[in-house]
Amino acid sequence: GSLGPGRLSAVEISGDGQGHHPWKAFTSLNYPQFDLCAPLHGQGPFDVVICEQVIEHVEDPWTAAANLRGLCASGGHVIVSTPFLIRVHELWGMKDYWRFTPRGLRRLLEGAELTVDHVGAWGNRACVRGNLDRWPAYRAWHSLRNEPDLPVQVWAFARRA
């Protein structure tokens, strides 16, 4: 990747799905065992902070965003992804509290004093419909056409100055 993972330490709050990259060091802080809203006790700093599919489950997203910044080294990167137009999902004891538009996710991260480089979203009405009854798997014949007003997924790339 363009960040050169071999030179970087990374933490993934959502599990270890990104641990296979050749990071200099990788830490997995599994949510909800790791409470993203609790005070940080010596974790970090990391060059890259990855938070996938977690922010919708925290009670206080403003504290969680501040903690993402706190985990991040100066000049480091924060990557956040979160669902938008999907059904409520309370799995493995996690509550489901929030949905963020691209503009809302930008505002949340900027409020935590992160510099947002990019926000994006993807989705379409077929994908939204498919999520109403079950978690559908992607099939080659499903359209990947993006309808910007129907985002299923929202993400942001930010930095700590």
Side-chain angles (χ1 to χ4, degrees):
S2 63
L3 290 177
R7 299 178 289 118
L8 304 172
S9 63
V11 62
E12 184 173 352
I13 288 122
S14 49
D16 61 3
Q18 302 305 317
H20 66 280
H21 296 291
W23 304 106
K24 178 174 79 177
F26 179 81
T27 301
S28 175
L29 297 174
N30 288 309
Y31 183 85
Q33 295 83 9
F34 170 74
D35 184 351
L36 190 53
C37 294
L40 300 174
H41 296 292
Q43 290 102 344
F46 299 93
D47 300 310
V48 179
V49 177
I50 303 164
C51 182
E52 293 182 302
Q53 318 310 318
V54 170
I55 206 85
E56 74 271 18
H57 294 290
V58 301
E59 286 188 46
D60 181 354
W62 299 275
T63 297
N67 279 344
L68 291 174
R69 182 182 185 277
L71 288 167
C72 192
S74 180
H77 301 267
V78 175
I79 303 165
V80 178
S81 65
T82 187
F84 185 65
L85 290 176
I86 70 163
R87 61 192 171 124
V88 172
H89 57 288
E90 297 196 344
L91 310 169
W92 308 292
M94 294 185 290
K95 305 282 191 257
D96 191 347
Y97 294 100
W98 308 99
R99 296 295 183 269
F100 295 93
T101 63
R103 181 171 287 129
L105 187 56
R106 175 184 290 278
R107 181 65 198 103
L108 178 71
L109 297 175
E110 287 175 345
E113 299 179 14
L114 290 163
T115 301
V116 178
D117 293 320
H118 176 76
V119 293
W122 178 89
N124 62 45
R125 65 191 71 242
C127 191
V128 171
R129 274 192 306 270
N131 273 300
L132 294 177
D133 296 320
R134 61 194 174 348
W135 298 110
Y138 171 70
R139 304 286 190 256
W141 57 86
H142 291 163
S143 172
L144 292 179
R145 180 178 50 90
N146 187 31
E147 294 181 58
D149 292 337
L150 295 168
V152 172
Q153 187 70 28
V154 177
W155 59 85
F157 295 91
R159 287 176 288 117
R160 180 175 180 172

